[in-house]
Amino acid sequence: MWIYTVRRLFVMIPTLFGITLVAFGVMQLAPGDPLKAELGAAGTIGETSQTREAYLIMRRDLLLDRPALLNFRYFRNYTAPIREVVFFRGQSRGEIVEELARLTEAPGAPENAARLAFLRGLDIADFDALLADPEVHPRLAHMIATGIQVYLEEEVGLHGVPPAMAVLRDPGSPLQERIGAIRAIRLMALEPFQYSFGREPDEADLPYVVAPWQLWWSRAEADFPAVAPAQREELAGKLEAMVREESRREVLEILETLDRDDMRFFAERLLGDTTFDEKRLSADALRLYIADPLQLDVPTGAAEETVDEVAGNWLVHYDLHLDRYEPGLARRFGYLLTDTQYANMVRRLATFQFGRSATRTREPVGPRILRAVMVSAPLMIMAQIVIYLVAVPLGIICAVNRSNAVDRGVSLGLFVLYSIPPFVAAMMFLLFLGYGVFFDWFPSLGLHSPGAEQFGWGRYLLDYLWHAYLPVVCLSLFSLAAMAMYSRTSMLEVTGQDYVRTARAKGLSERAVILKHGLRNALIPIITLFAGFLPAMLGGSVLIEVIFGIPGMGRLSYESILQRDFPTLMALIYINAIVVMLSILLTDLLYVVVDPRISFEGREQRR
């Protein structure tokens, strides 16, 4: 049996791979890109700014700016399209309108033909018709700006940074092109600088934190007054106290007692010869009081001095991350398969690091699902207990009393229950027992009364059972009827077997014949239905949980679909797939427990 179990566990791996591939493909085909909605003929924003922001955060978090399965971008030359991008990103809307008029007058000129080919590649609806009508050129200019934004963020990404940086490095580049290059790089390079350490500080990140603060301090040092000796001693004591403090909350409270004029002390500690902990906390202090250390974007009409400063910032970023933008040939071939949306998703799922939700709350997916499971699992366990404790005895009673009044009456009742969908039963129960129209015996929403957290454990449990009564009944009715009828059929088949007749011929009591010889064999088909127990326990019920206002797995799945929360959806699909396969394996093992004649040993020996 152990060999069989291990083999089945190994078979789960390619099965999970196939499931994730299919789910990933379905999500790739899902419509509704908030940015591309702006490229319609109307040129208007199709989603709210909050939806757009949530989408952009999700795209960055899930590497949605990468290709789906294969990444050939490391082998492509983006110099020509980036040249066009730099041109348009450096233009104001009015200048783009003037350029469109010029393109309309001489579309066949070599430079104009290349520019028009680039614009047609932005997937702007009815581009040629809009170009031919000067009246709509302002709207077309807006659509071009949006199309370039989509192109940089979704089609090019970091691969367009090297040719744009080449424009900044070239001393002969016109000011307008340098402005366009900066504004293009700002869309391609996400979170260029790391100003502080995360919750799990890594000393390997020290160069990436020190470099931007060093650049900032070289320009801002004269703006900060000298620190008096007494004040310096006090700040040193606070820094030492923060180093010793283990509570993040206490550290934040100390940081909030500081002032912006104290930042000279912390800048010197960060850039000087100090310990890693002192540098880490000094970076936290600077980040708290210096909102925007380095400027990273410029308007289309920026002054040359501002452009030079921002260009210098980007050059520092590029030199820090040179291996990211100019990887070697071996790494490029490796990125062909590993630097993709699907590879990133598989890495997350395989390590159970599901990331953060795509909703505005940005909650971690793992704890979010765990909270929903802890709500749904008790309800489904109670429902399954009710189903098996009621359905199996009812099925036995019907089989033993075949064709008499008891069988007909119970079967009729079961068929009635089977014909009532759970959500209809839920609405009927709420109408008659929960809303107070007829009776007000049970609550209609939630699983706890207001202030239940203040109850003792006994009262808290009774309050929970009172709230859970109607949901559990609704979850049980439909499956209970089906299970009872299935038990009846299985029991009838067993009672007609020769060994049952032999048991009766030996003079055994009817109770012993039914329970000892008949029931055990009748349970084998019923156990097959047990394969749905674990998935049901974790999956919850969408309609029941929505109707009763229960924040369980079913409601979480429903809300994730509505909100297009792909990280949560992929985690739910992955977890449910694992649970289904484990439940099937558990069902196979239960066959051996119920009937010792069933064994996997013979099968393994034949193999």
Side-chain angles (χ1 to χ4, degrees):
M1 185 171 68
W2 288 109
I3 298 177
Y4 173 81
T5 303
V6 172
R7 180 179 286 112
R8 287 291 298 270
L9 291 174
F10 275 109
V11 169
M12 291 182 185
I13 297 176
T15 306
L16 285 174
F17 174 80
I19 291 171
T20 57
L21 187 61
V22 172
F24 179 78
V26 171
M27 291 183 183
Q28 286 290 313
L29 297 175
D33 188 327
L35 278 180
K36 289 186 177 179
E38 297 187 36
L39 302 183
T44 57
I45 297 177
E47 303 285 347
T48 64
S49 59
Q50 291 87 353
T51 304
R52 173 175 172 173
E53 181 182 359
Y55 170 78
L56 292 175
I57 293 173
M58 179 188 69
R59 181 183 48 77
R60 177 188 61 191
D61 190 40
L62 298 181
L63 300 185
L64 295 181
D65 56 343
R66 307 293 201 271
L69 296 176
L70 295 174
N71 191 349
F72 292 101
R73 294 177 183 175
Y74 287 94
F75 300 94
R76 293 177 184 169
N77 187 350
Y78 288 95
T79 302
I82 291 299
R83 186 181 299 117
E84 304 297 337
V85 166
V86 165
F87 174 81
F88 283 104
R89 289 292 293 175
Q91 304 274 335
S92 65
R93 294 294 170 82
E95 291 170 330
I96 295 178
V97 171
E98 295 175 1
E99 179 64 18
L100 291 175
R102 192 180 68 81
L103 293 175
T104 305
E105 293 174 358
E111 181 180 354
N112 292 353
R115 189 151 293 162
L116 285 171
F118 170 75
L119 293 178
R120 290 190 179 99
L122 296 179
D123 294 330
I124 298 176
D126 301 324
F127 172 78
D128 290 319
L130 295 172
L131 182 65
D133 186 358
E135 296 294 328
V136 298
H137 280 183
R139 192 172 68 193
L140 181 58
H142 168 76
M143 297 165 69
I144 288 172
T146 302
I148 290 175
Q149 180 179 349
V150 174
Y151 174 73
L152 292 176
E153 292 180 334
E154 297 192 5
E155 301 297 330
V156 179
L158 61 87
H159 309 285
V161 174
M165 291 298 303
V167 175
L168 292 183
R169 291 185 186 276
D170 185 1
S173 296
L175 178 62
Q176 201 168 29
E177 289 188 8
R178 301 183 71 204
I179 292 174
I182 290 173
R183 301 186 71 222
I185 294 171
R186 187 70 185 97
L187 294 176
M188 294 183 289
L190 301 172
E191 297 182 341
F193 288 111
Q194 181 178 346
Y195 294 107
S196 60
F197 298 88
R199 288 190 173 272
E200 298 181 1
D202 187 353
E203 198 165 352
D205 293 334
L206 187 59
Y208 302 100
V209 175
V210 170
W213 286 116
Q214 191 169 28
L215 179 61
W216 167 79
W217 188 242
S218 66
R219 299 167 180 165
E221 182 176 3
D223 299 334
F224 288 83
V227 182
Q231 180 70 5
R232 183 177 294 275
E233 185 176 351
E234 180 183 349
L235 292 174
K238 289 184 177 181
L239 181 59
E240 185 178 352
M242 288 190 290
V243 170
R244 293 195 306 267
E245 184 60 59
E246 296 182 358
S247 171
R248 180 68 178 172
R249 174 190 245 173
E250 297 295 331
V251 170
L252 288 175
E253 289 181 358
I254 297 175
L255 288 174
E256 289 174 354
T257 65
L258 304 175
D259 187 78
R260 192 176 189 277
D261 291 342
D262 299 330
M263 293 305 105
R264 172 179 285 275
F265 170 83
F266 290 99
E268 292 172 351
R269 285 300 180 101
L270 175 63
L271 304 178
D273 186 15
T274 54
T275 65
F276 173 70
D277 286 334
E278 290 179 325
K279 291 180 182 294
R280 172 176 60 84
L281 293 166
S282 297
D284 288 342
L286 289 168
R287 189 67 181 122
L288 184 62
Y289 288 91
I290 310 298
D292 297 307
L294 299 178
Q295 185 177 346
L296 297 172
D297 206 354
V298 293
T300 53
E304 186 170 1
E305 294 79 9
T306 303
V307 173
D308 290 340
E309 178 181 331
V310 177
N313 296 341
W314 281 113
L315 289 171
V316 169
H317 160 75
Y318 190 79
D319 292 338
L320 274 174
H321 301 90
L322 192 62
D323 58 339
R324 179 198 302 177
Y325 296 112
E326 299 181 16
L329 185 60
R331 291 181 62 186
R332 293 185 184 186
F333 277 107
Y335 289 152
L336 182 67
L337 293 174
T338 61
D339 192 24
T340 63
Q341 297 178 34
Y342 181 69
N344 177 63
M345 184 199 70
V346 170
R347 279 195 297 269
R348 287 177 175 241
L349 295 181
T351 58
F352 289 89
Q353 300 295 323
F354 301 126
R356 293 185 175 272
S357 166
T359 59
R360 281 184 291 175
T361 58
R362 301 292 294 148
E363 295 178 83
V365 172
R368 192 181 184 202
I369 292 178
L370 181 60
R371 287 196 300 270
V373 169
M374 298 304 292
V375 172
S376 290
L379 295 176
M380 301 308 296
I381 290 174
M382 287 189 288
Q384 293 293 329
I385 291 174
V386 170
I387 290 169
Y388 277 91
L389 290 182
V390 176
V392 175
L394 279 180
I396 295 173
I397 291 172
C398 289
V400 172
N401 297 276
R402 180 181 182 182
S403 299
N404 63 17
V406 174
D407 182 26
R408 292 192 182 97
V410 173
S411 297
L412 177 62
L414 293 174
F415 278 119
V416 171
L417 291 179
Y418 188 77
S419 65
I420 301 176
F423 69 92
V424 174
M427 295 305 299
M428 292 176 62
F429 281 135
L430 286 176
L431 178 63
F432 286 96
L433 303 177
Y435 287 153
V437 178
F438 295 92
F439 301 99
D440 191 14
W441 292 349
F442 297 98
S444 58
L445 289 175
L447 291 174
H448 297 286
S449 299
E453 61 274 3
Q454 306 298 328
F455 296 168
W457 71 268
R459 185 182 174 189
Y460 184 88
L461 178 60
L462 291 176
D463 179 73
Y464 174 79
L465 294 176
W466 180 46
H467 282 75
Y469 182 82
L470 289 183
V472 170
V473 170
C474 294
L475 290 169
S476 306
L477 288 181
F478 184 85
S479 298
L480 184 150
M483 178 69 74
M485 297 307 298
Y486 199 83
S487 301
R488 175 185 181 275
T489 303
S490 179
M491 195 67 189
L492 285 175
E493 183 179 350
V494 169
T495 55
Q497 298 295 322
D498 291 341
Y499 61 85
V500 174
R501 288 195 292 268
T502 302
R504 287 197 178 102
K506 289 182 177 179
L508 295 178
S509 65
E510 188 66 15
R511 179 185 179 88
V513 170
I514 296 299
L515 297 181
K516 184 176 181 180
H517 294 274
L519 178 60
R520 189 164 189 174
N521 291 283
L523 284 177
I524 295 176
I526 297 174
I527 287 177
T528 304
L529 302 179
F530 186 78
F533 171 70
L534 289 179
M537 184 183 72
L538 292 184
S541 173
V542 174
L543 293 176
I544 298 300
E545 291 181 3
V546 170
I547 291 173
F548 286 96
I550 299 172
M553 286 286 283
R555 185 173 173 182
L556 177 61
S557 302
Y558 175 73
E559 292 175 349
S560 298
I561 293 172
L562 291 182
Q563 298 168 352
R564 301 187 73 238
D565 186 358
F566 288 168
T568 303
L569 282 175
M570 273 310 308
L572 290 172
I573 293 171
Y574 184 69
I575 292 173
N576 283 333
I578 293 176
V579 169
V580 168
M581 288 186 287
L582 289 176
S583 64
I584 294 173
L585 176 60
L586 179 61
T587 301
D588 288 346
L589 299 179
L590 285 176
Y591 287 144
V592 180
V593 175
V594 173
D595 190 348
R597 295 174 300 173
I598 299 176
S599 174
F600 299 112
E601 302 298 332
R603 180 183 299 180
E604 301 302 330
Q605 291 174 2
R606 287 195 298 272
R607 289 178 183 273

